[in-house]
Amino acid sequence: MQLLATDIGFGSVKSHSSNSIFKFPSAVSMLKSSIIDNTAEKYNFRGIDYLVGEEALRDAYETRDYLFLEKFAPLLLFKAIEEAELDPSSPLKIATGLSLLNWDKKEQFAEVLKDYTINNTRVSKLDLLLLPQGKGIYLDCLKSNVEIQDELVMVIDIGYNTLDIIPFEKGRPLASEAWASTFGVNIMVSELQKYIVKEYGLSLSEAKVNEAYQNRHVKFAGEKRDLSIIIDEEKKKYTDQVMHKVRMKNSDLFNSADTIIIAGGGAYAFEDYSFDRKTLFPKNNYEFSNVRGYFESLKHG
């Protein structure tokens, strides 16, 4: 059976197969008819040609709205299947996640992934496992920190557009205490976007600004302009705001937690943050923590 764990996020798609682990931007743009000579791979979906991933960054649609995910998740999943060198027309066992913020839409989200056609290839032989974001992080960290199975653990999953908080007590998620908001990395990216417009007069797509945030520079007049100072300032503000929200939302639970796990793409901003208790970061590439945990669920589920 072909196995693929994937995290279809607002900022990037992270994936884990039996042979590879990789990511690409969650960027989708319509292929303009004026582009005559375009060597980038196009994806025909519902009668429209799209660019996906790196090739779509310049004119990418904004990705903050759940409706973006619901509409384009099949495209992003299809590209992930291709990147993993799997056969989309053959049986596939897929694990993916959805933020608690949109968990009430889990049935319709799963439905759009189960049967669709791209580039005349029908994808319909899916065994789909849909998990709440954050659970994969817990399972990933549990592999190298077995002691947390007996603790009260608070998982803080910081994605591009979402902040998901899931407590686990002795391995069991406390669903009634979990919560999510739209206070993700996009908060810092938005501030950086304003700075780039003000400082350089560049009107970049959100996807391109996110790329500049990751690379810590922007190209202007053919030269790299360093953005480290403004990025570090925004990180400091953002980390303070996130921890304030987490403490205030359920102070009793936060104060009782034995361990805090910080993961997701936004976790890098917290590496120098001073915590008042045991804090874990997943081993290697925090943004891949969910898919590593999802893949464990696939193998043993």
Side-chain angles (χ1 to χ4, degrees):
M1 173 67 77
Q2 300 181 106
L3 304 180
L4 181 67
T6 188
D7 179 0
I8 306 173
F10 289 94
S12 62
V13 177
K14 284 75 65 178
S15 299
H16 188 327
S17 71
S18 299
N19 300 314
S20 61
I21 186 164
F22 58 90
K23 70 175 181 176
F24 58 85
S26 298
V28 176
S29 66
M30 189 182 299
L31 183 61
K32 296 178 180 178
S33 58
S34 59
I35 302 177
I36 299 173
D37 182 23
N38 192 307
T39 57
E41 183 177 1
K42 64 181 180 181
Y43 296 82
N44 188 274
F45 179 50
R46 297 172 182 164
I48 299 173
D49 288 334
Y50 294 98
L51 298 178
V52 182
E54 295 283 349
E55 292 84 1
L57 282 173
R58 186 165 300 280
D59 297 307
Y61 298 126
E62 287 196 3
T63 61
R64 293 190 194 179
D65 198 309
Y66 164 76
L67 292 178
F68 168 88
L69 281 190
E70 186 175 307
K71 181 174 182 178
F72 293 118
L75 265 178
L76 297 168
L77 177 58
F78 189 86
K79 182 172 177 64
I81 293 169
E82 281 196 334
E83 293 285 321
E85 298 183 345
L86 303 176
D87 181 1
S89 63
S90 297
L92 286 154
K93 194 170 183 181
I94 303 282
T96 190
L98 191 63
S99 169
L100 292 174
L101 197 65
N102 309 121
W103 194 245
D104 60 325
K105 303 178 181 70
K106 59 183 181 296
E107 285 85 6
Q108 62 201 64
F109 184 73
E111 198 63 31
V112 301
L113 292 176
K114 288 182 178 178
D115 191 351
Y116 57 91
T117 299
I118 293 176
N119 291 348
N120 296 318
T121 298
R122 185 178 180 187
V123 183
S124 61
K125 300 175 182 177
L126 294 186
D127 180 2
L128 185 67
L129 173 64
L130 185 59
L131 299 165
Q133 280 182 207
K135 185 172 183 180
I137 291 168
Y138 179 81
L139 295 174
D140 180 42
C141 290
L142 183 61
K143 287 182 65 179
S144 53
N145 301 274
V146 294
E147 75 280 0
I148 67 173
Q149 66 186 344
D150 298 316
E151 297 180 344
L152 176 59
V153 178
M154 179 173 282
V155 172
I156 302 178
D157 180 8
I158 308 164
Y160 181 75
N161 192 52
T162 54
L163 170 66
D164 287 76
I165 313 298
I166 304 180
F168 290 82
E169 187 170 35
K170 295 184 177 180
R172 183 176 61 87
L174 302 180
S176 62
E177 303 293 346
W179 58 276
S181 76
T182 56
F183 206 79
V185 174
N186 69 88
I187 299 298
M188 290 185 283
V189 172
S190 292
E191 293 304 311
L192 184 60
Q193 191 170 35
K194 294 175 188 175
Y195 174 84
I196 291 172
V197 170
K198 180 180 178 181
E199 193 73 13
Y200 302 111
L202 294 175
S203 182
L204 303 179
S205 71
E206 189 173 347
K208 287 295 286 183
V209 177
N210 187 34
E211 184 182 49
Y213 168 80
Q214 300 294 332
N215 296 332
R216 299 178 72 86
H217 71 259
V218 67
K219 279 283 194 74
F220 178 73
E223 296 183 1
K224 290 182 180 180
R225 302 302 174 99
D226 186 69
L227 299 172
S228 296
I229 293 176
I230 183 66
I231 288 175
D232 288 341
E233 289 175 355
E234 291 305 323
K235 279 184 176 180
K236 178 63 171 66
K237 288 193 291 185
Y238 179 72
T239 53
D240 287 343
Q241 289 173 315
V242 167
M243 294 312 299
H244 178 75
K245 286 177 180 293
V246 172
R247 284 188 175 93
M248 294 299 102
K249 187 72 176 181
N250 190 329
S251 59
D252 290 341
L253 185 66
F254 179 83
N255 291 330
S256 300
D258 300 300
T259 299
I260 296 171
I261 297 176
I262 309 284
Y268 294 100
F270 286 79
E271 289 181 316
D272 297 323
Y273 190 89
S274 179
F275 293 92
D276 58 1
R277 78 206 53 207
K278 177 184 170 187
T279 305
L280 296 177
F281 290 82
K283 287 187 175 179
N284 307 317
N285 302 319
Y286 311 146
E287 67 269 33
F288 286 104
S289 187
N290 260 317
V291 291
R292 289 195 296 258
Y294 294 165
F295 196 73
E296 287 301 309
S297 294
L298 277 182
K299 288 194 300 183
H300 304 298

